[in-house]
Amino acid sequence: MVVKMTPNSLDLISQYAEQMLEGLEWLSTYGADPEGGVTRLLYTQPWLQAQQALTQKMHELGLEAGFDAVGNVFGKLQGKNLALKTVLTGSHVDTVKNGGKYDGAYGVVASMMALGYLKAVYGTPRRTLEVVSFCEEEGSRFPLAYWGSGHVTGVRSLTGASEIADLEGVTMLEAMQQAGFDTASVSEHPAKREDIGAYIEIHIEQGSVLEYKQKQIGIVTAIVGQIRLTVTVTGISNHAGTTPMTMRKDALAGAAEMVALTERMALEEGEPLVATVGRLEVKRGTSNVVPGEVEFTLDIRHTDEWKMDAFRARLLAEFEVIAKRRDLHIDTTLNLHASPVAMHEGISAEIEAACDAHGFESMRLPSGAGHDAQLFGLICPTAMIFVPSRAGISHSPDEFTEPADLVAGFQALIHVLYQYGYGGKVDEIL
């Protein structure tokens, strides 16, 4: 069933699409960097101001809006049939340091405006539709990702929040309290939801496939699994001039060998596996001292969980061989283990139908990046809509998607939400 369009609704969709584009620019002013990027880290002032402003916008669109206990913001369009579980749509409001204005934000603004349009044109839905601006997804401030969606799905809890700290030594619990969230009076799972029947997320691709294939819409088939580790290599700090090369326990030389090995083994494994060392820090590094301690991050991704885990085991075993040969000590800390998750075929088919109805060129593809949808895919039917990213650039001030593609994704999202809120899919058991 195609969304019913009248001259009035066609005019309104253009208006809401324009407001959606303006909303992206508006949201990017919260945490705007002088050099042109956006920085909204979890529980910081720019983050709080953005969430508060989004709450107000949702109210203006006629949605019931407010915060949950950990800082997620929800805007509800209440349905008539309370027996039907909610269809949730949205994304995350946080960014990486000096990030772009589209990652996460597009999903929040597009979903918010889609519900505003549906309410204005069709009134009260039969099934409740809800938009969410998740408090955190990136893992940019604290070494833990999916804090927002993780609480809603029950994967995360407040246990350990007093021990997880940012680079300034501020714990997650302290940051929550500083942002105005009273953690003392809530349970271990203060934001967990049991009433969500499906989750639909719209997002920029963060890759170059859609642009290369000249497609406006990507229908995600699955989200890759992801392992994030911190590796600490310890040797002995010593004088660079008086310590012979044969007597050194150089932590940086050992870490460098491990980094090079990571790339070599990943290339040998082949696609779709990828492995990345994204940050390397020499502790107390000085130009005339043999490095005694080095810490680096390791990110491993694959669509097959068994192959991902097997690669990690082989790689870490080789790290141990290097450490033993160089008389170094190695410690690893697991920060994230997210399983690959397949998207729901029924909702994905509805996205495809929306593209056909509107004449949008589309294709199916996996997501190489992690998303909040990854957590929801474990508990309810979940789907994702991608729009192209110019040159595949993301997590950068240069992040960009053509307005026409942003609007195409917005229209496809409206179509799908209409089907599950008002149309032919409304009575499906989710």
Side-chain angles (χ1 to χ4, degrees):
M1 180 189 295
V2 179
V3 179
K4 296 175 290 185
M5 287 292 181
T6 65
N8 180 53
S9 63
L10 284 169
D11 181 57
L12 268 178
I13 204 168
S14 296
Q15 292 179 34
Y16 276 82
E18 186 61 34
Q19 289 179 52
M20 183 267 297
L21 296 174
E22 292 170 355
L24 274 173
E25 298 300 321
W26 162 79
L27 187 55
S28 72
T29 64
Y30 295 94
D33 294 328
E35 54 268 48
V38 181
T39 301
R40 281 194 302 268
L41 304 184
L42 178 63
Y43 299 136
T44 62
Q45 196 63 24
W47 170 92
L48 182 60
Q49 291 171 345
Q51 288 289 64
Q52 290 171 335
L54 284 166
T55 304
Q56 182 59 37
K57 283 282 187 184
M58 291 177 190
H59 279 303
E60 292 170 4
L61 290 166
L63 308 177
E64 301 171 23
F67 284 86
D68 70 7
V70 299
N72 297 313
V73 166
F74 292 89
K76 180 186 289 186
L77 180 54
Q78 182 67 56
K80 298 174 184 176
N81 189 342
L82 300 182
L84 296 171
K85 286 192 170 184
T86 296
V87 170
L88 182 66
T89 183
S91 194
H92 60 96
V93 75
D94 69 311
T95 70
V96 298
K97 291 182 179 179
N98 198 221
K101 64 178 71 170
Y102 301 95
D103 177 11
Y106 170 56
V108 173
V109 175
S111 298
M112 179 176 67
M113 299 311 301
L115 262 59
Y117 168 81
L118 289 169
K119 177 177 173 59
V121 176
Y122 304 105
T124 303
R126 289 164 62 193
R127 178 196 296 275
T128 297
L129 302 174
E130 199 165 353
V131 56
V132 61
S133 175
F134 288 119
C135 63
E136 193 275 342
E137 184 256 13
E138 296 286 4
S140 297
R141 181 179 180 185
F142 299 96
L144 187 70
Y146 307 116
W147 185 247
S149 57
H151 273 280
V152 176
T153 57
V155 173
R156 298 279 184 238
S157 74
L158 291 180
T159 303
S162 61
E163 300 171 3
I164 301 166
D166 64 11
L167 294 176
E168 305 299 320
V170 178
T171 70
M172 187 169 277
L173 202 61
E174 290 169 340
M176 289 179 70
Q177 292 167 341
Q178 289 168 10
F181 297 95
D182 180 12
T183 58
S185 62
V186 297
S187 65
E188 184 181 345
H189 294 283
K192 187 177 180 181
R193 296 275 297 270
E194 305 285 356
D195 61 332
I196 296 170
Y199 176 67
I200 303 168
E201 183 170 3
I202 187 166
H203 207 282
I204 60 169
E205 182 195 350
Q206 300 178 281
S208 55
V209 175
L210 292 177
E211 183 182 53
Y212 179 77
K213 297 283 188 179
Q214 296 185 323
K215 305 292 185 182
Q216 283 182 287
I217 301 291
I219 302 159
V220 178
T221 55
I223 302 174
V224 297
Q226 185 178 164
I227 294 171
R228 292 188 192 178
L229 297 161
T230 300
V231 181
T232 303
V233 183
T234 307
I236 295 179
S237 294
N238 223 324
H239 196 289
T242 62
T243 309
M245 298 298 292
T246 56
M247 296 173 61
R248 297 184 177 199
K249 297 181 181 180
D250 188 329
L252 179 56
E257 189 175 348
M258 294 172 195
V259 172
L261 177 68
T262 298
E263 181 186 43
R264 186 166 68 251
M265 285 182 61
L267 286 168
E268 290 170 355
E269 180 72 19
E271 295 182 355
L273 181 130
V274 292
T276 305
V277 174
R279 180 180 63 83
L280 186 147
E281 181 183 359
V282 181
K283 302 289 186 178
R284 298 170 295 280
T286 306
S287 62
N288 63 342
V289 174
V290 177
E293 183 179 350
V294 173
E295 182 179 281
F296 64 90
T297 60
L298 179 60
D299 183 306
I300 303 168
R301 306 186 190 204
H302 202 296
T303 53
D304 184 309
E305 184 166 20
W306 186 89
K307 291 181 179 179
M308 178 176 70
D309 289 339
F311 179 84
R312 173 183 60 171
R314 292 198 308 274
L315 182 62
L316 293 185
E318 291 298 322
F319 283 3
E320 291 287 355
V321 171
I322 293 170
K324 185 176 181 180
R325 171 163 45 81
R326 290 178 170 272
D327 200 13
L328 303 170
H329 180 74
I330 183 170
D331 285 307
T332 59
T333 301
L334 179 65
N335 299 319
L336 176 70
H337 187 295
S339 299
V341 176
M343 298 291 96
H344 188 263
E345 176 55 34
I347 304 176
S348 297
E350 202 58 47
I351 298 169
E352 204 160 42
C355 293
D356 293 341
H358 290 285
F360 302 143
E361 290 288 329
S362 68
M363 65 175 289
R364 298 208 176 200
L365 76 169
S367 171
H371 296 284
D372 293 304
Q374 197 156 1
L375 276 66
F376 281 92
L378 301 172
I379 66 166
C380 68
T382 299
M384 287 198 75
I385 300 169
F386 274 173
V387 294
S389 296
R390 184 176 65 187
I393 295 172
S394 182
H395 289 177
S396 161
D398 295 329
E399 192 175 82
F400 180 76
T401 297
E402 292 288 347
D405 293 330
L406 295 171
V407 172
F410 176 62
Q411 289 182 286
L413 177 64
I414 286 174
H415 176 108
V416 177
L417 293 175
Y418 172 86
Q419 297 302 331
Y420 286 95
Y422 302 82
K425 299 289 184 178
V426 73
D427 292 320
E428 283 196 6
I429 303 298
L430 295 173

